[in-house]
């Protein structure tokens, strides 16, 4: 195909949910062999656009053309048959099956429509090899591999369906630096084959590294399409927000000013399997402790041990100097300790339930089934948090799964805050949400700390950890290697602590 003509072209796309228009007259062009970024705040319409292109959602108005021919997809399966595949942020594969089975599940491999396991493995090895993934054993269980490898297996599955358009929805949100580099290598391999790639990400630096073109949405409307090399980063942020990026507010009452001895939680010698060893943590009342570390460093194991999700194999946890046995999340909640998982779809949001039901879910569970919260009280409570956190749209009865990622995160925070916690442990609370929503969450953390709530804030973004935390605990290889006041750190110094092996630090 001539590079001057788009492989896929969407024009005049409008999608309505009742009286609300999630998309209004939006257009998108994807060219063969090009990586195209779709950018915008949460609620800008990115997810709706993806669903419209891939057959998951029917447009009220608009036209979709593939190779110049008008097409309509009633289901994602129809789109896949036409060569349009999507790899979502939350991987939709089966971890209890092998890599090969995940690549070919639902497809005939072998003669006469019968599945030949040997041929399946051989073909899977060929597909993986074509993407340079020779180290991935197609016979191994998918769940035994890292999230990064699972992402690549999902891409390999798309390749076996003769993919022509590949949509990658937040593909790097759970990857470390080396894993991102490997993903980008695979993307460039697909580019060389003429595949058009729609890359949806909130990591602006990654967009500028891998993408040729950028389309910006705001409030369901097309702001514009730009060549990446011609659009300054600051201009991109302005176009996404419609104004200058909201500044992170300064803490009114940072923990450095709190009296000595006001310690809420103290942990000594925490060990969780092979992932966390001999961890010592002190957290003051109204303090934000940032936690930095690469994937696999033990940061999530620490969070789970502090909140009863994973029982520590060794160590002592004290809350206000009293030793406690955090043997379950329920026990932790009774002590005012709550946890927000990094995987909000798997462990947090119940997509089919309404915003109201999601917000009041934990509070009702704490009270028990025999003490139902009256509906008028539930609505009043949920509405107060929707207003306080600016959850959009402010519709208590809308299924939470229809909200943008940033607003889903706010719903989860509302659920936890409804429990009136003393300690909030947040694992990647801004993962996969846009610049504006990140600032809102960061400011909310500061406000909570100013009001006496202690927060453990885990993030892969080092500058965010420094900006939000009063102190930063650095984990490497399952150990806390240092805890420093954030004001004593630079991004380069923190990166060195996070990534540098000890024998290179001499």
């Amino acid at each position: 195909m001539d590079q001057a003509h788009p492989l896929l072209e969407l024009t005049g796309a409008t999608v309505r949910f009742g009286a609300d228009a999630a998309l209004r007259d939006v257009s998108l062009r994807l060219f063969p062999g090009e990586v195209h970024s779709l950018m915008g705040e949460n609620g800008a319409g990115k997810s709706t656009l993806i669903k419209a292109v891939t057959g998951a959602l029917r447009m009220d108005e608009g036209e979709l053309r593939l190779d110049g021919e008008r097409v309509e997809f009633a289901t994602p399966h129809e789109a896949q048959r036409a060569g349009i595949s999507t790899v979502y942020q939350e991987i939709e594969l089966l971890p209890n099956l092998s890599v090969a089975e995940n690549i070919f599940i639902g497809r005939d491999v072998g003669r006469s429509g019968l599945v030949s396991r040997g041929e399946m493995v051989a073909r899977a090895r060929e597909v993986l090899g074509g993407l340079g993934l020779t180290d991935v054993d197609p016979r191994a269980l998918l769940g035994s591999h890292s999230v990064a490898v699972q992402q690549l297996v999902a891409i390999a599955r798309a390749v076996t369906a003769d993919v022509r358009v590949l949509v990658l929805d937040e593909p790097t949100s759970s990857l470390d630096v080396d894993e991102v580099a490997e993903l980008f290598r695979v993307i460039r391999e697909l580019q060389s084959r003429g595949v058009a790639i729609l890359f949806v990400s909130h990591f602006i630096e990654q967009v500028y590294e891998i993408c040729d073109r950028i389309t910006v949405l705001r409030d369901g409307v097309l702001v514009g399409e730009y060549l990446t090399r011609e659009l300054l980063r600051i201009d991109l942020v302005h176009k996404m927000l419609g104004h200058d990026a909201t500044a992170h507010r300064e803490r009114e009452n940072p923990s450095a000013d709190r009296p000595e001895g006001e310690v809420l939680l103290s942990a000594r010698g925490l060990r969780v399997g092979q992932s966390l060893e001999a961890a010592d943590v002190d957290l003051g009342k109204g303090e934000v402790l940032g936690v930095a570390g690469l994937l696999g460093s033990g940061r999530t194991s620490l969070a789970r041990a502090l909140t009863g999700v994973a029982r520590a194999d060794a160590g002592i946890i004290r809350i206000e100097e009293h030793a406690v046995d955090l043997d379950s999340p329920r026990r932790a909640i009774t002590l005012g300790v709550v946890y927000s998982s990094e995987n909000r779809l798997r462990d947090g949001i119940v997509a089919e339930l309404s915003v109201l039901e999601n917000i009041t879910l934990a509070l009702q569970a704490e009270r028990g089934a025999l003490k139902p919260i009256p509906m008028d009280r539930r609505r009043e409570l949920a509405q107060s948090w929707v207003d306080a956190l600016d959850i959009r749209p402010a519709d208590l009865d809308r299924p939470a799964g229809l909200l943008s990622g940033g607003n889903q995160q706010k719903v989860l925070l509302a659920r936890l805050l409804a429990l009136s916690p003393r300690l909030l442990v947040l694992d990647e609370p801004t993962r996969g949400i846009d610049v504006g929503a990140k600032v809102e969450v960061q400011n909310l953390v500061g406000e909570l700390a100013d009001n006496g709530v202690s927060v453990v804030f885990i993030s892969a973004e080092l500058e965010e950890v420094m900006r939000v935390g009063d102190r930063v605990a650095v984990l490497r290889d399952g150990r806390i290697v240092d805890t420093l006041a954030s004001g004593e750190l630079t991004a380069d110094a923190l990166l060195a602590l996070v990534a540098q092996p000890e024998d290179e630090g001499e």
Side-chain angles (χ1 to χ4, degrees), residues 97-405:
L97 297 182
S98 70
V99 168
E101 288 169 324
N102 272 282
I103 291 175
F104 290 107
I105 190 169
R107 300 168 188 168
D108 293 335
V109 182
R111 300 175 180 83
S112 304
L114 299 176
V115 175
S116 166
R117 189 166 300 276
E119 186 171 349
M120 178 188 294
V121 170
R123 286 187 56 186
R125 185 172 283 114
E126 180 181 343
V127 172
L128 293 167
L131 295 175
L133 305 174
T134 55
D135 292 337
V136 179
D137 184 354
R139 299 165 299 181
L141 287 179
L142 181 69
S144 67
H145 289 292
S146 67
V147 171
V149 172
Q150 293 183 40
Q151 288 272 17
L152 296 173
V153 169
I155 293 173
R157 173 174 168 78
V159 169
T160 65
D162 297 322
V163 64
R164 305 178 68 204
V165 176
L166 180 63
V167 180
L168 299 176
D169 184 14
E170 294 290 350
T172 64
S173 60
S174 298
L175 310 187
D176 64 25
V177 174
D178 291 339
E179 291 166 338
V180 169
E182 177 68 0
L183 174 65
F184 283 4
R185 185 193 62 74
V186 171
I187 288 175
R188 292 187 177 102
E189 169 62 28
L190 294 174
Q191 270 188 281
S192 70
R193 302 183 189 183
V195 176
I197 298 168
L198 183 61
F199 184 86
V200 183
S201 176
H202 292 99
F203 294 108
I204 292 178
E205 290 303 318
Q206 292 178 6
V207 167
Y208 275 83
E209 179 180 350
I210 195 69
C211 296
D212 305 293
R213 198 180 300 263
I214 299 172
T215 288
V216 180
L217 301 181
R218 187 173 69 243
D219 297 329
V221 175
L222 176 68
V223 176
E225 177 193 283
Y226 312 92
L227 290 173
T228 308
R229 65 177 180 271
E230 296 177 356
L231 183 64
L232 296 176
R233 288 163 174 76
I234 189 65
D235 290 337
L236 170 60
V237 173
H238 289 175
K239 292 178 186 300
M240 289 166 56
L241 300 181
H243 52 78
D244 289 351
T246 305
H248 177 73
R249 75 175 188 87
E250 293 297 322
R251 290 281 307 280
E252 297 173 3
N253 184 27
S255 65
D257 296 333
R258 61 183 168 80
E260 289 293 329
E262 286 196 310
V263 175
L264 174 67
L265 179 143
S266 177
R268 291 292 179 271
L270 286 188
R271 178 170 61 81
V272 179
Q274 302 298 314
S275 60
L276 184 71
E277 56 178 274
D280 295 342
V281 177
D282 290 305
L283 183 64
K285 295 179 180 179
E287 180 183 27
V288 181
L289 178 66
V291 177
L294 299 177
L295 286 173
S297 64
R299 62 192 195 198
T300 293
S301 294
L302 175 63
R304 291 164 64 87
L306 293 177
T307 54
V309 177
R311 189 166 188 173
D313 299 308
I316 297 174
I317 297 176
R318 289 184 172 86
I319 294 180
E320 291 186 328
E321 300 184 356
H322 299 290
V324 295
D325 183 9
L326 297 182
D327 59 349
S328 70
R330 180 180 292 275
R331 173 60 177 154
I333 288 172
T334 64
L335 294 168
V337 179
V338 298
Y339 172 61
S340 176
S341 167
E342 63 179 332
N343 192 326
R344 60 175 171 263
L345 290 185
R346 185 189 67 200
D347 302 327
I349 282 292
V350 183
E352 297 80 9
L353 296 185
S354 68
V355 170
L356 181 151
E357 291 166 323
N358 268 278
I359 290 176
T360 58
L361 188 63
L363 188 60
Q364 180 61 71
E366 184 185 32
R367 286 169 59 102
L370 299 179
K371 297 180 180 179
I373 304 171
M375 179 53 72
D376 57 349
R377 173 57 183 149
R378 292 176 66 194
R379 295 194 74 86
E380 178 185 0
L381 178 68
Q383 188 65 58
S384 69
W385 286 113
V386 165
D387 294 341
L389 302 186
D390 193 23
I391 297 171
R392 304 179 189 177
D395 180 358
L396 296 181
D397 299 314
R398 174 171 292 212
L402 296 181
L403 301 184
S404 66

Side-chain angles (χ1 to χ4, degrees), residues 15-36:
V15 176
R16 299 185 184 90
F17 296 106
D20 299 324
L23 289 180
R24 295 187 296 277
D25 193 27
V26 170
S27 298
L28 175 73
R29 302 184 302 164
L30 301 181
F31 291 87
E34 182 179 65
V35 183
H36 192 124

Side-chain angles (χ1 to χ4, degrees), residues 465-478:
V465 171
M466 292 170 55
R467 186 163 57 248
V468 175
D470 300 305
R471 293 181 300 137
V472 178
V474 181
L475 282 96
R476 190 173 64 233
D477 299 327

